[in-house]
Amino acid sequence: MNYTKTIVCLANSRKISGRCIAGKEKTEQGFGGWIRPISNRPAGEISEDERMYQNGDDPQVLDLIEIPLFEYRPHYYQTENHLLDDRYCWKKVGQVKRDELHSLIDLVEGNLWVNGYSSYKGTNDRIPEEIANKLDNSLVLIQPEQLSILVDTEGGEFGNAKRKVRAKFILNNKQYKLAITDPRIERAFLKKKDGQYPLLAQNIYMCLSIGEPYNGFCYKLAASLITSV
């Protein structure tokens, strides 16, 4: 273990066979920049064993977590990446109150990273890989406007129909429709019928992330929705 960082967990999202954990560093002066611990796997996902506390619990959003790290390992737009030292357990050292999150919101002026590229069912939800690679960050915390959760069956036209949950929202007068990778939100809304479910956006914080490249594009993801419940 070369060093440890303490973060407030702002996302514990689905990623391939594991999870993407991300949060902002807690220092003596307050909260600093983003940190995303990654594994040595090609996509960097964190396994259940690698992220669990000594008592076997899984990290939760708003936990303050002390994480053992090996080295800083940025990769193009994912400048927040630190390689995990998987020989040691993670340690929960506290919890942040939800009303403290307002001070952690990131200032997003204009577009959310880069706009103008949409998938078949998304809106402004992807960036060509060569453009994304020129960005200098891949994580933001926002409070969206006019937020709705969409539940729909996608992919039927291509022979692989599957129900999917998306976040539809406005930010700086621009519309977005992003896939949700927050397992808690996915589970809750997949129990509902296909449709659109408006939420009170002023009560919700969202951690947004740019995921790994896929078929020439990097997708914007709603990695977590932090609600009042």
Side-chain angles (χ1 to χ4, degrees):
M1 177 169 57
N2 284 13
Y3 57 99
T4 63
K5 295 282 189 180
T6 300
I7 68 168
V8 52
C9 181
L10 296 173
N12 182 346
S13 65
R14 175 176 51 77
K15 185 176 184 179
I16 308 179
S17 59
R19 294 292 178 88
C20 174
I21 309 291
K24 290 198 172 186
E25 183 178 7
K26 179 74 168 67
T27 68
E28 292 182 359
Q29 292 73 40
F31 288 99
W34 284 93
I35 290 178
R36 178 194 287 113
I38 62 168
S39 70
N40 257 323
R41 297 178 185 86
E45 69 272 19
I46 303 292
S47 71
E48 183 176 2
D49 287 345
E50 288 166 339
R51 69 182 183 264
M52 72 168 53
Y53 299 143
Q54 277 193 317
N55 66 359
D57 284 350
D58 199 53
Q60 302 296 311
V61 170
L62 301 184
D63 282 359
L64 279 171
I65 312 169
E66 189 177 279
I67 301 178
L69 300 166
F70 187 72
E71 65 180 14
Y72 179 48
R73 191 175 286 186
H75 185 68
Y76 291 110
Y77 52 90
Q78 291 190 346
T79 57
E80 307 89 351
N81 293 359
H82 292 249
L83 180 63
L84 175 70
D85 190 336
D86 60 8
R87 298 173 298 172
Y88 302 90
C89 286
W90 294 14
K91 183 179 180 181
K92 180 178 177 179
V93 295
Q95 197 165 38
V96 169
K97 294 181 179 178
R98 188 180 169 282
D99 57 15
E100 295 180 61
L101 291 179
H102 191 74
S103 64
L104 302 183
I105 292 175
D106 292 295
L107 177 62
V108 177
E109 296 180 329
N111 293 337
L112 178 61
W113 293 299
V114 175
N115 284 353
Y117 303 92
S118 301
S119 65
Y120 181 62
K121 289 287 188 176
T123 302
N124 287 319
D125 66 328
R126 64 183 186 176
I127 308 169
E129 185 176 353
E130 65 272 17
I131 296 176
N133 284 340
K134 298 175 183 178
L135 299 174
D136 60 7
N137 74 305
S138 66
L139 290 160
V140 292
L141 184 71
I142 67 163
Q143 274 198 295
E145 305 164 35
Q146 300 179 31
L147 174 64
S148 292
I149 305 299
L150 306 179
V151 183
D152 194 12
T153 301
E154 301 185 11
E157 303 88 341
F158 311 105
N160 57 344
K162 186 176 181 181
R163 298 184 79 224
K164 194 160 188 174
V165 183
R166 292 184 181 269
K168 179 183 177 182
F169 62 95
I170 302 291
L171 183 66
N172 298 332
N173 298 313
K174 307 288 177 62
Q175 183 169 291
Y176 298 89
K177 198 185 299 179
L178 311 184
I180 293 176
T181 55
D182 182 330
R184 186 179 66 91
I185 299 298
E186 281 187 312
R187 285 193 296 267
F189 280 89
L190 285 174
K191 294 176 182 177
K192 301 177 182 291
K193 297 179 180 179
D194 286 3
Q196 179 168 319
Y197 299 88
L199 301 179
L200 294 174
Q202 67 267 28
N203 295 326
I204 295 176
Y205 297 88
M206 294 177 64
C207 173
L208 307 180
S209 173
I210 304 177
E212 303 296 317
Y214 178 74
N215 288 344
F217 287 92
C218 302
Y219 286 78
K220 306 172 190 177
L221 305 169
S224 73
L225 275 67
I226 307 172
T227 68
S228 57
V229 295

